[in-house]
Amino acid sequence: MANQDYEERPQTQELGYDPNFVPDSVKSFVVHLYRHIREKNVYEIHQMYESSFQTLSERLFKDTPWPSVDAVAHYVDNDHVFCLLYREMWFRHLYARLTPTLRQRIDSWDNYCSLFQVVLHGVVNMQLPNQWLWDMVDEFVYQFQSFCQYRAKMKNKTEQEIALLRQFDQAWNVYGVLNFLQALVEKSTIIQILEQEKEGLEQFTATDGYDYNGGSNVLKVLGYFSMVGLLRVHCLLGDYHTGIKCLLPIDISQQGVYTSVIGSHITTIYHYGFANLMLRSECLWSLLVKDSEWTLPSKDSNPFQALYPDLINYLFYRYVEAIREFNKILLYIFKTKQYHQKSPQYEQILKKNEQMYALLAICLSLCPQTRLVDETVNSQLREKYGEKMARMQRYDDEAFAIYDELFSYACPKFITPSAPSFEEPLVNYNQDAYRLQLKLFLYEAKQQQLLSGVRTFLKVYSTISFAKLASYMEVDEPTLRTILITYKHKTHAVDSDGKITSNADVDFYIDEVQVLALTTICITESVDTIHVVESKPAKRYGDYFLRQIVKLEGVINEMDVHMIFSLKEFNSGSSPVSKIVRANVEHSFNLLQDTIHVVESKPAKPYGDYFLRQIVKLSYYVNYFSLCSSLPLSSTSIFLNILCSPKPLVFFMGVSSNPKVFLSDKDLKGANFVDPELGLLVPNEGCQIFIQEDHHLFKLKHLSVQERHQQQQDNKDRH
């Protein structure tokens, strides 16, 4: 995902740079990389590409380009394909560290043309890491974007630069870029491969695109990533429908090769979510609803499905889809970003992360669907944009200024692909495409102003008459019908199964009349009562408690390291003291003059485990008791010794699946409770455990002197 956005960088090479000087470390790097490519050692190639190349660039070529390809060609037997790969890395380093000249931009285009021609029409027998192949496609699109931005700044161009632009007018031509990407998709037959994989005939995703039978993965994986590249190019051009259509062969709801590279994963979801955010259908909708003679069909019919079968999937704003995908990728970045801190892409990961939070704030402001957002992501979002999101709901001038700010920060760097007119006065037009997209977006945001008024009234009422709502909104009934239809239009979407679903936090219907399947709104002249249906998302307590447990563990770890430390130091951590609830933990603390004194508490004795062990032992004696009709307390000495108590303890709680003990108030008069919650009691003298004939009830019986004597005599006779 290197170099997603065009940014000004320091001007080119220093005067002391010698393109023909090759340090020994670079010589060794080139020789070993060439050998590993010939041996198809993907692991070593990946290590050298990700680690060694970045280390050498940081140490030796921080402000200068790498040695020229002519200087290193004889170390690799003048291998044509390797030299093209080296030049691709050379130009990528130049774009990342310095500002390329116009001549270098044109040379980079020629190198990409030569490289892709070899892949498309030659015989490529090598395996390259997915990271490298993704960077090729990503850098190709980035340099196209950068060239269009550079060419659009005509005001300060020199005569030499204008002459070069005239001479090489086909360099980075938009048709050439799209043709190369589309040719890679078609030549690789990646669409057919993905279709066969669904039927179990291929294993492209399972092997991450690699060929373990001695073949090459270059063409197939380049074709796969080119679909993502096409999505990105079409988003830069403002053609969002075509961009999403190019990505259809990839099921982004599942893990795939695109998720094996963090840059590919983030770029795919960012542009897919943005395209869904920007998809609009005002023109088609206005054509259908402006006809006053158009009648509403029956409940089960769908006129759009019959009239426009190919357009049904993009008739609506896809806010819900954008929210769902932004939520998933932001949660993924939150959990894994610490593993990419040493990656050269780390800064770009953080930047895209912030941009997608801004886009998610826009989506949720236009389409309140917090139930689709994970608690972790929602918490981060509220910290970053909570106040702005509250102001965006007002739909006043301040709200539109915030929409403008967030959109400008989070949108791609749109381009104007056409070449300038050299006969007219030279002006800068690099911002024209951005201004057009911003204008379209703000137009849609302003349409939500009337809808916010509808939502406000619907939240107050459970039912409201048509005429009453029209009077509150100060409009006539025909205008209100238009507003309600617009509300339905903006808050409904078509899911992946073709089913129309509501994405509104507050929905409504108008009594029991004819229903339009596309809008689920009921409109007739006979009934005019609006019934409000408010969705209440289920509360998710589990995520909240898990986060608090993690915070508490962090606090305990800090206490283990610093037994006594200042309150200010502790407050600088992730878990402030004010948020800690004193609980049953290994440590507690006292606050004395802004100093935390940690007090280590003694662990409580595990009485629960002790009683559980005794219950198991008791189960054996319950089986013994079930064979008897009654037992004197004197004959239960073994049973009492197991309880390790000076007085007999009798459990009257359930023991496994054995008979339960039930004691009435009368039975308990001669017993002293030890702990009513634990269910333990101590029988007094003269008490006896009595077992009924059905062996399902244990009772504590109080015996008189005569009864005790008679019981002893009966036991002697029985023995």
Side-chain angles (χ1 to χ4, degrees):
M1 196 177 57
N3 305 327
Q4 289 277 358
D5 302 315
Y6 178 73
E7 297 175 357
E8 293 295 334
R9 300 188 180 93
Q11 274 298 332
T12 333
Q13 4 343 11
E14 297 177 356
L15 296 177
Y17 166 68
D18 183 4
N20 297 318
F21 174 69
V22 182
D24 292 338
S25 55
V26 175
K27 186 189 305 182
S28 175
F29 170 81
V30 171
V31 170
H32 284 85
L33 181 61
Y34 177 60
R35 187 185 71 190
H36 293 317
I37 290 178
R38 289 177 61 87
E39 296 173 353
K40 297 183 180 180
N41 191 338
V42 178
Y43 177 78
E44 291 296 336
I45 297 172
H46 185 268
Q47 291 298 316
M48 296 193 70
Y49 175 79
E50 276 287 279
S51 179
S52 302
F53 181 73
Q54 300 299 332
T55 302
L56 291 174
S57 298
E58 186 67 27
R59 193 177 69 189
L60 301 177
F61 307 107
K62 194 171 184 178
D63 300 317
T64 59
W66 273 59
S68 65
V69 66
D70 296 331
V72 301
H74 61 280
Y75 296 118
V76 295
D77 302 327
N78 292 306
D79 188 280
H80 178 60
V81 176
F82 182 86
C83 288
L84 291 175
L85 294 174
Y86 179 84
R87 279 174 63 85
E88 193 272 334
M89 297 169 63
W90 190 92
F91 281 115
R92 188 173 339 130
H93 169 76
L94 179 70
Y95 271 80
R97 301 280 181 169
L98 307 165
T99 299
T101 63
L102 177 57
R103 184 74 231 187
Q104 289 169 334
R105 296 175 189 271
I106 297 172
D107 290 342
S108 179
W109 164 255
D110 292 337
N111 185 72
Y112 272 115
C113 291
S114 301
L115 179 59
F116 289 154
Q117 289 289 350
V118 170
V119 174
L120 289 170
H121 306 294
V123 179
V124 179
N125 187 25
M126 61 182 177
Q127 294 253 37
L128 293 180
N130 288 345
Q131 180 68 59
W132 194 347
L133 296 173
W134 160 249
D135 287 343
M136 284 185 195
V137 175
D138 184 60
E139 186 70 15
F140 179 65
V141 177
Y142 162 71
Q143 291 188 21
F144 164 65
Q145 173 190 353
S146 175
F147 183 83
C148 291
Q149 294 279 356
Y150 169 83
R151 184 178 55 187
K153 298 178 180 179
M154 293 295 298
K155 197 169 184 179
N156 297 322
K157 291 286 188 292
T158 63
E159 293 183 1
Q160 183 181 3
E161 290 175 323
I162 294 175
L164 281 175
L165 288 174
R166 286 175 177 269
Q167 181 181 355
F168 299 98
D169 57 341
Q170 294 302 311
W172 295 110
N173 181 274
V174 62
Y175 296 110
V177 172
L178 292 173
N179 285 339
F180 270 123
L181 294 174
Q182 188 62 38
L184 288 170
V185 174
E186 294 176 357
K187 184 71 174 181
S188 64
T189 66
I190 187 62
I191 297 178
Q192 291 79 3
I193 291 174
L194 294 177
E195 289 294 331
Q196 292 176 358
E197 186 178 40
K198 295 178 182 178
E199 301 173 0
L201 303 177
E202 286 282 349
Q203 288 189 338
F204 180 77
T205 303
T207 60
D208 284 336
Y210 293 108
D211 191 331
Y212 294 104
N213 297 321
S216 173
N217 71 323
V218 174
L219 180 58
K220 289 190 296 184
V221 177
L222 278 178
Y224 182 90
F225 287 136
S226 292
M227 291 188 287
V228 181
L230 286 169
L231 166 66
R232 183 179 170 192
V233 171
H234 286 297
C235 283
L236 295 176
L237 298 174
D239 188 358
Y240 306 108
H241 171 63
T242 304
I244 290 182
K245 189 176 180 180
C246 291
L247 197 68
L248 284 179
I250 301 177
D251 185 4
I252 64 171
S253 65
Q254 304 293 331
Q255 295 290 317
V257 176
Y258 78 98
T259 60
S260 64
V261 181
I262 182 66
S264 167
H265 192 184
I266 293 176
T267 299
T268 302
I269 303 303
Y270 168 78
H271 288 92
Y272 178 79
F274 185 81
N276 276 290
L277 171 65
M278 293 296 291
L279 273 177
R280 48 177 47 84
S281 56
E282 295 94 338
C283 295
L284 180 59
W285 180 261
S286 62
L287 289 174
L288 293 171
V289 300
K290 71 179 181 179
D291 187 2
S292 59
E293 300 298 326
W294 189 58
T295 58
L296 297 177
S298 62
K299 177 179 180 180
D300 298 327
S301 65
N302 191 334
F304 290 91
Q305 189 66 47
L307 296 175
Y308 306 97
D310 297 328
L311 303 181
I312 189 65
N313 286 327
Y314 69 98
L315 280 176
F316 302 101
Y317 275 88
R318 303 295 297 276
Y319 290 131
V320 172
E321 186 70 13
I323 292 170
R324 185 181 293 112
E325 295 304 325
F326 283 144
N327 172 68
K328 289 195 296 186
I329 190 63
L330 290 172
L331 185 62
Y332 173 78
I333 295 174
F334 179 81
K335 293 179 178 179
T336 62
K337 65 182 179 182
Q338 65 268 24
Y339 303 117
H340 301 280
Q341 291 182 356
K342 296 183 180 180
S343 170
Q345 307 170 5
Y346 185 64
E347 291 184 1
Q348 286 295 328
I349 291 174
L350 295 182
K351 181 176 181 179
K352 285 298 172 197
N353 183 67
E354 295 301 317
Q355 287 181 319
M356 285 188 287
Y357 269 114
L359 292 176
L360 182 59
I362 291 174
C363 290
L364 290 175
S365 297
L366 296 175
C367 175
Q369 285 291 297
T370 53
R371 61 184 175 84
L372 298 176
V373 182
D374 186 86
E375 281 291 334
T376 302
V377 177
N378 192 43
S379 176
Q380 295 286 319
L381 181 66
R382 295 300 170 185
E383 289 181 11
K384 299 175 185 294
Y385 298 109
E387 182 181 350
K388 290 185 177 180
M389 289 177 66
R391 285 186 285 169
M392 288 162 70
Q393 294 296 324
R394 302 172 188 168
Y395 293 98
D396 53 12
D397 292 339
E398 183 184 7
F400 295 133
I402 297 175
Y403 276 115
D404 188 336
E405 174 191 345
L406 294 184
F407 182 86
S408 301
Y409 170 71
C411 69
K413 307 304 178 188
F414 300 106
I415 58 174
T416 302
S418 59
S421 176
F422 297 102
E423 284 73 20
E424 298 180 1
L426 300 179
V427 294
N428 294 339
Y429 61 95
N430 57 304
Q431 294 294 317
D432 289 355
Y434 154 73
R435 293 193 187 99
L436 176 60
Q437 296 298 321
L438 176 62
K439 180 181 178 181
L440 293 174
F441 169 74
L442 291 180
Y443 175 76
E444 168 61 21
K446 289 179 180 178
Q447 286 186 343
Q448 299 283 342
Q449 189 168 6
L450 278 176
L451 305 186
S452 66
V454 173
R455 185 181 291 112
T456 301
F457 287 114
L458 294 181
K459 285 183 177 180
V460 175
Y461 291 92
S462 58
T463 59
I464 184 173
S465 65
F466 212 91
K468 188 175 183 180
L469 181 59
S471 64
Y472 283 163
M473 297 190 65
E474 299 179 355
V475 295
D476 54 15
E477 292 194 15
T479 303
L480 178 60
R481 293 180 187 275
T482 303
I483 295 174
L484 292 178
I485 291 178
T486 304
Y487 181 88
K488 286 288 187 178
H489 163 223
K490 298 298 184 183
T491 57
H492 281 67
V494 181
D495 60 16
S496 57
D497 298 327
K499 182 180 179 181
I500 298 171
T501 58
S502 173
N503 55 40
D505 54 340
V506 179
D507 203 358
F508 66 93
Y509 64 93
I510 305 181
D511 263 351
E512 301 176 357
V513 290
Q514 301 260 318
V515 178
L516 173 60
L518 187 62
T519 62
T520 64
I521 185 173
C522 316
I523 303 177
T524 60
E525 296 298 325
S526 57
V527 180
D528 61 353
T529 301
I530 300 174
H531 297 262
V532 180
V533 180
E534 185 173 1
S535 60
K536 295 182 179 179
K539 295 182 179 179
R540 292 176 286 189
Y541 299 104
D543 294 340
Y544 173 80
F545 284 118
L546 285 175
R547 290 198 307 273
Q548 302 309 315
I549 289 172
V550 172
K551 290 182 180 181
L552 186 59
E553 288 178 350
V555 173
I556 293 175
N557 292 336
E558 291 182 15
M559 290 181 175
D560 288 336
V561 177
H562 306 289
M563 295 301 290
I564 298 180
F565 50 93
S566 68
L567 178 61
K568 293 180 180 179
E569 292 176 353
F570 187 72
N571 277 333
S572 64
S574 60
S575 302
V577 175
S578 59
K579 294 184 179 179
I580 303 302
V581 179
R582 184 167 181 175
N584 186 19
V585 296
E586 296 179 358
H587 301 83
S588 61
F589 50 85
N590 298 323
L591 297 179
L592 298 176
Q593 296 180 352
D594 287 348
T595 300
I596 298 178
H597 299 266
V598 180
V599 181
E600 188 168 359
S601 60
K602 296 181 180 179
K605 294 182 179 180
Y607 293 108
D609 296 340
Y610 169 78
F611 285 123
L612 286 175
R613 290 196 299 271
Q614 305 313 312
I615 289 173
V616 174
K617 293 179 181 180
L618 283 174
S619 64
Y620 296 105
Y621 288 92
V622 171
N623 294 331
Y624 170 70
F625 290 156
S626 64
L627 301 176
C628 306
S629 61
S630 64
L631 287 175
L633 290 176
S634 59
S635 63
T636 61
S637 59
I638 299 177
F639 165 66
L640 300 177
N641 289 335
I642 291 177
L643 292 175
C644 302
S645 174
K647 289 187 176 182
L649 296 177
V650 180
F651 280 85
F652 61 93
M653 61 176 63
V655 181
S656 184
S657 60
N658 293 304
K660 293 185 178 180
V661 177
F662 297 93
L663 298 177
S664 65
D665 295 339
K666 181 179 179 181
D667 296 327
L668 299 179
K669 286 182 179 179
N672 296 324
F673 278 98
V674 175
D675 189 340
E677 294 184 358
L678 292 177
L680 300 177
L681 55 85
V682 181
N684 291 331
E685 294 295 332
C687 294
Q688 180 183 17
I689 300 175
F690 178 74
I691 308 171
Q692 289 187 353
E693 293 181 0
D694 57 4
H695 306 308
H696 284 77
L697 290 179
F698 291 73
K699 288 193 175 182
L700 193 64
K701 186 175 181 181
H702 308 281
L703 303 179
S704 63
V705 177
Q706 293 82 0
E707 288 174 334
R708 245 185 296 166
H709 179 73
Q710 183 64 37
Q711 184 66 42
Q712 292 174 358
Q713 186 65 38
D714 292 341
N715 287 333
K716 288 180 182 181
D717 296 340
R718 188 181 300 111
H719 293 314

